[in-house]
Amino acid sequence: MSFASNNSKRIQRILKGSMLIGIFSFVFAILMGIWRIALTRGFILPSIPEFLPPHGNLMIGAFLGTLIIFERMFALPVKWLIWTPYIWGISSALIHIDFPLFKILNIVALLGWGIHRFIAYKTFKHLLNPLIEFLSYVALSIALLSHDGLAGSIESALAGFSFAIAVIGAERIELTLGFNRTSAKVLYLSLIVYLGISIINSLFYLIPVQIVGIILLFVSIGLIYNDSVIIVYVKGFALAQGALHKFARETLIVAYLWLIFASISIILWNQIQAVAKDVVFHSIGLGFIFTMILSHAPIVLSSTLAKMPKRIPSRILFYLFQLMTIVRVFTDLFVTVSVELWSWAGWITGTLHFIFFILYILSVLRSFK
């Protein structure tokens, strides 16, 4: 037992190195995003070299994709699969290069991830979470492999977002221990349908985006219902009815409001076509996904550090991040009214998003001391 425990800890130490790929990808993606925004706003800067990866490939593929694989493999270490998050992160960051090796490596990493999810199913005797997590990466991999990656088309971008939404949705069901409930099974099914349509659309462009929006709205309502009737649990630790529990519920509500807003924006795509892309991308990416990252940071770190935080993270920093997202989406919506405001808001909010995010994560780490 002692040998097995030591071996597991050794694997976990090796896995932690993959976080560096995710962290580097995150920082680089932020800097790339600010750079691109500054260029489109007329600032005198050198153009972005074509050999650098697209923003979405870095943020969704290399950062978030690597982070999720790390977190799952950290919880269930498998020695001969510890290469998977490393290969996934590297291939996602470099897959845009016209060199077949990185595309092959991405598929190999996807297969490694699929094997790990099968092991998770055999270990925990629960199929739907591993299945959705694997299908999510299939959707993301297809999006990354398409021409210009997530930046290549609306369909590819929405497939990339479907990866994040489905993984988060499956985790919410797991964290609330609701997978045996009928409503949770319906939500699982809706996530599978959502992923299936995203995969088909990114390959064949057959389904109007409005249909994707309707299904996403249904998923949003299902997630809200799932979280509204179950007490939140964190990796085996029950959160008491105190400040930490209230903070978790509060931040989840904010995330779900962003997802509903994004769903309605997709449904109204034709009506807001001139601004739809930025509004949808920012409300899902900055609004839902990053709010969920902020909300789940204490959960992920409590699992990694094997202890619970002693106090809540900074509410001020959390809501400052939300304020920047509101400003960003608001100026996207009304760009035709004030181009100048839109021009300045992009790079200012982008910079402040990055600062507030880093400060918030530091406040989470301090909450464990």
Side-chain angles (χ1 to χ4, degrees):
M1 180 67 70
S2 177
F3 173 78
S5 177
N6 290 336
N7 188 49
S8 176
K9 290 180 179 178
R10 191 178 303 111
I11 296 171
Q12 289 175 335
R13 283 197 297 271
I14 296 172
L15 283 170
K16 285 181 179 179
S18 64
M19 290 186 70
L20 295 176
I21 297 175
I23 293 169
F24 176 80
S25 298
F26 169 74
V27 174
F28 193 42
I30 291 291
L31 296 177
M32 285 275 292
I34 295 172
W35 188 357
R36 181 173 289 106
I37 290 168
L39 286 174
T40 58
R41 271 60 171 180
F43 289 87
I44 303 174
L45 292 171
S47 59
I48 300 175
E50 292 185 2
F51 64 83
L52 293 179
H55 175 78
N57 286 20
L58 281 174
M59 188 62 78
I60 302 295
F63 165 59
L64 194 57
T66 303
L67 182 67
I68 290 171
I69 293 178
F70 158 77
E71 196 273 336
R72 298 297 189 272
M73 289 197 164
F74 191 87
L76 180 63
V78 179
K79 183 178 181 180
W80 62 281
L81 289 173
I82 56 177
W83 50 268
T84 306
Y86 291 93
I87 298 301
W88 176 269
I90 292 170
S91 65
S92 296
L94 300 176
I95 201 168
H96 67 288
I97 298 174
D98 190 18
F99 189 54
L101 174 63
F102 298 115
K103 294 178 173 60
I104 294 171
L105 287 176
N106 189 261
I107 295 172
V108 170
L110 178 64
L111 292 174
W113 172 242
I115 294 170
H116 188 274
R117 292 296 81 200
F118 180 75
I119 293 172
Y121 158 64
K122 297 292 287 185
T123 302
F124 301 111
K125 309 301 181 184
H126 181 60
L127 174 63
L128 292 174
N129 273 71
L131 176 61
I132 288 174
E133 288 170 342
F134 176 65
L135 290 176
S136 298
Y137 275 82
V138 171
L140 179 56
S141 185
I142 291 172
L144 290 168
L145 288 166
S146 63
H147 180 66
D148 289 335
L150 273 68
S153 68
I154 298 299
E155 289 78 9
S156 293
L158 291 177
F161 284 133
S162 73
F163 142 78
I165 293 167
V167 168
I168 292 170
E171 184 174 21
R172 289 310 311 161
I173 301 173
E174 182 181 26
L175 288 174
T176 56
L177 302 182
F179 39 76
N180 289 324
R181 297 170 53 249
T182 301
S183 60
K185 292 176 182 177
V186 173
L187 180 54
Y188 274 130
L189 178 61
S190 65
L191 287 172
I192 292 172
V193 172
Y194 173 50
L195 284 169
I197 287 179
S198 298
I199 291 170
I200 293 171
N201 228 24
S202 62
L203 288 171
F204 305 110
Y205 310 102
L206 295 175
I207 304 167
V209 293
Q210 289 84 353
I211 301 299
V212 178
I214 292 171
I215 296 172
L216 184 55
L217 182 60
F218 183 82
V219 167
S220 305
I221 295 170
L223 286 170
I224 293 171
Y225 179 78
N226 178 73
D227 273 298
S228 68
V229 295
I230 304 280
I231 296 176
V232 178
Y233 279 75
V234 181
K235 300 295 183 184
F237 297 95
L239 286 176
Q241 292 286 345
L244 189 58
H245 174 75
K246 291 178 181 178
F247 180 77
R249 297 297 291 263
E250 182 181 321
T251 54
L252 286 173
I253 290 171
V254 174
Y256 291 142
L257 287 175
W258 278 117
L259 191 59
I260 289 175
F261 178 80
S263 305
I264 295 172
S265 299
I266 297 173
I267 294 170
L268 299 176
W269 190 279
N270 289 342
Q271 287 72 28
I272 61 169
Q273 193 165 13
V275 299
K277 182 178 176 181
D278 283 349
V279 170
V280 169
F281 288 8
H282 293 149
S283 56
I284 294 179
L286 291 170
F288 175 72
I289 295 175
F290 265 89
T291 299
M292 275 295 187
I293 291 174
L294 298 178
S295 180
H296 283 75
I299 298 174
V300 174
L301 288 173
S302 67
S303 175
T304 305
L305 300 175
K307 58 182 180 180
M308 290 293 292
K310 296 181 179 179
R311 58 183 182 273
I312 66 171
S314 171
R315 262 196 176 91
I316 294 174
L317 290 171
F318 176 84
Y319 282 106
L320 283 173
F321 189 95
Q322 300 305 317
L323 177 61
M324 293 304 100
T325 306
I326 291 171
V327 172
R328 186 69 174 272
V329 174
F330 180 84
T331 54
D332 289 336
L333 275 169
F334 296 98
V335 60
T336 55
V337 176
S338 178
V339 176
E340 185 177 0
L341 179 62
W342 175 81
S343 299
W344 282 95
W347 69 270
I348 293 175
T349 57
T351 303
L352 291 176
H353 269 129
F354 177 63
I355 294 172
F356 293 147
F357 181 86
I358 297 300
L359 292 176
Y360 178 88
I361 296 301
L362 291 175
S363 80
V364 174
L365 289 172
R366 285 197 297 271
S367 70
F368 286 89
K369 295 181 180 179

